[in-house]
Each structure stands twice: as C-alpha cells, then as structure tokens.
Amino acid sequence: MQNKLLYNGEGKYMQNDPFPPSEFDEWAETYDRSVSIDQFPFWGYESLLDRIVALAEAKPGLSVLDLGTGTGNLALRFAALGCNLWCTDFSAPMLEKAHQKLPGAYCVLHDLRGEWPAELNRTFDRIVSAFVFHHFELNEKVRILLSLLPRLAPGGLIVLGDIAFCNQAALEQAKVKTGDEWEEEFYWLADESLFALGQVGLTAHYEQISRCAGVFILASIQK
Ligand SMILES: C[S@@+](CC[C@H](N)C(=O)[O-])C[C@H]1O[C@@H](n2cnc3c(N)ncnc32)[C@H](O)[C@@H]1O
C-alpha cells in the first residue's frame, strides 16, 4: 500500500519562534487525555469539533484539508462521514498519531507559516482547522487565510474553530473565571478579526460555541 505519511523536508524554523514544533512533540502522547478534561482551553472541545463538521456540511466524497490536525480528532469525524482527508501538522509525533487513526488520509508535515507544500498542490472542497490559529498574531492569521483561498474549490468553505471570544470584554471575563490555568496566546476576538478580514475583502461569519471557543466560516469567492 502507498505510504501516505509524507515529509516535505521543510525543516527550517524561525528564530525566536514562540511556538516551535518542539512545543507540541511531547504533548502528542497525552494530547487526547488533555482534551477529554473539561477545562480551559478545551471546555466544550467535542461540541466545537461537532459544530465544525456540521457547518462544513460534511458528506461522502468531499475533499477535506485539516490544518494542524494534531492527533486527528477533527479529521476522524470527516472520515467517518465518507470524506477524503488530507491532514497537515508541523509536529511529526502529532502527525504520526493522526496517521495511526487515519491510515487512508494523506498526512503532510508542514508549518502553516511556511511555503505551501507541493504535496498539497490541488484544491479542496473544505479547509478546516481546530485549536491552531491562536498560535498566530492577527495579521498572520489574515495572511494565512488569504493564502488559502486559491486552495479552495468553487463552492468550497473554510471552517475554523478555535479559542475565541466575541470581544475583549468576553475574553477578560473568561480570564477571570479561568484563574491560574489562563495562558496568554493570540486568542481570536471576533469583532476585530471580522473587521481585519473585511479590510482585505474577506467576508466571514462567526459563531460562539462555548465560553472560550467559536467558529469562523468563510465561503469561496467562486461559486
Ligand atoms: C491544540 S493542538 C490542536 C490539534 C487538533 N486540531 C485538535 O483540534 O485536536 C494544535 C496543533 O497545531 C499544530 N500547530 C501549531 N502551530 C502550527 C504551525 N505553525 N503549522 C502547523 N501546525 C501547527 C500543533 O503541532 C498541534 O498539533
């Protein structure tokens, strides 16, 4: 059988990278346990993944690209509904875990901040992601989202779930409730993010799913 675990050889990482792959490598072993504990930042983890699948209108035969797939929990839901999966992550141990759960998926080692890998030179009906983009500052989020548009098939959708709040006030409330468990990362604020996306001509919709997570939906420009 063709080996579908692909390494694209992109081994160069940024200097002073606040989120290098090594941050995630060790976590691969215990990640599924982390998400099963109903605490920040994974309050409502399962509901968020379910909502991404519902908003993506998953159905058999769709080509789905899952960015930052981790151990493959989101991709697995799409695969169970008959979709064809491509999964990326920049942590090799995470990607290995995903590959074990999804032997039929193409798994590509790739840093989302880097050049697009040749292995993914095609379009996808759906581009999805969960709990990944909060590692990027807002301008980087917008840059990456813009770069994904040519990868979307006509009529396609981008559906991103992540740690997100309606606005700064909602974030502050969650921070107080979370207490010592809170970590400072680049969490989405829906109001400023929708504005920033609008500034570059992207129309997105936002839905709050739990007290610390929400989903952004962007449609392909081509019908
Ligand atoms: C919190 S986990 C989320 C995993 C999975 N999507 C889920 O919902 O369970 C974040 C994942 O994003 C990956 N990641 C973080 N930054 C990345 C980047 N710049 N490029 C590719 N993957 C990245 C990590 O390796 C990790 O597997």
Side-chain angles (χ1 to χ4, degrees):
M1 197 183 80
Q2 189 191 357
N3 185 3
K4 290 182 168 174
L5 183 59
L6 308 167
Y7 291 93
N8 68 10
E10 187 191 305
K12 46 188 176 344
Y13 302 116
M14 299 187 306
Q15 275 186 331
N16 304 320
D17 187 349
F19 297 108
S22 55
E23 284 276 307
F24 300 92
D25 291 350
E26 275 187 26
W27 198 14
E29 211 43 56
T30 55
Y31 182 78
D32 283 350
R33 215 173 313 139
S34 299
V35 300
S36 71
I37 302 168
D38 201 27
Q39 67 181 33
F40 181 84
F42 295 121
W43 284 319
Y45 175 79
E46 302 290 335
S47 318
L48 185 80
L49 300 196
D50 288 345
R51 192 63 187 142
I52 293 172
V53 175
L55 289 168
E57 299 167 11
K59 54 179 183 245
L62 285 185
S63 53
V64 179
L65 171 62
D66 180 23
L67 302 171
T69 194
T71 60
N73 295 334
L74 178 61
L76 202 54
R77 284 165 155 80
F78 282 96
L81 292 170
C83 301
N84 302 314
L85 267 300
W86 282 257
C87 303
T88 73
D89 205 286
F90 73 169
S91 160
M94 285 285 193
L95 204 59
E96 294 274 358
K97 290 276 177 201
H99 184 57
Q100 285 163 16
K101 288 184 192 171
L102 294 144
Y106 288 94
C107 293
V108 180
L109 191 71
H110 174 243
D111 187 330
L112 266 168
R113 300 162 298 181
E115 273 178 35
W116 195 253
E119 293 87 344
L120 298 177
N121 259 341
R122 51 158 295 153
T123 56
F124 299 91
D125 297 313
R126 303 289 183 264
I127 300 179
V128 301
S129 185
F131 293 98
V132 179
F133 276 64
H134 67 275
H135 298 113
F136 313 133
E137 290 185 54
L138 180 56
N139 59 356
E140 186 76 338
K141 289 182 176 80
V142 173
R143 186 188 68 76
I144 295 172
L145 280 173
L146 265 179
S147 76
L148 293 176
L149 285 188
R151 316 289 170 193
L152 209 50
L157 291 173
I158 298 175
V159 187
L160 300 184
D162 205 350
I163 304 168
F165 305 91
C166 290
N167 52 33
Q168 186 68 35
L171 179 148
E172 295 299 336
Q173 270 182 11
K175 188 172 175 172
V176 170
K177 278 211 173 110
T178 306
D180 292 343
E181 297 297 312
W182 184 265
E183 288 175 38
E184 287 301 338
E185 298 188 347
F186 304 118
Y187 305 134
W188 295 84
L189 297 180
D191 57 356
E192 67 166 25
S193 304
L194 294 175
F195 180 77
L197 291 168
Q199 293 285 89
V200 297
L202 294 178
T203 306
H205 296 279
Y206 178 71
E207 198 178 302
Q208 192 74 38
I209 304 297
S210 74
R211 54 187 141 140
C212 71
V215 183
F216 291 87
I217 308 121
L218 290 90
S220 159
I221 294 163
Q222 296 177 62
K223 296 288 168 208

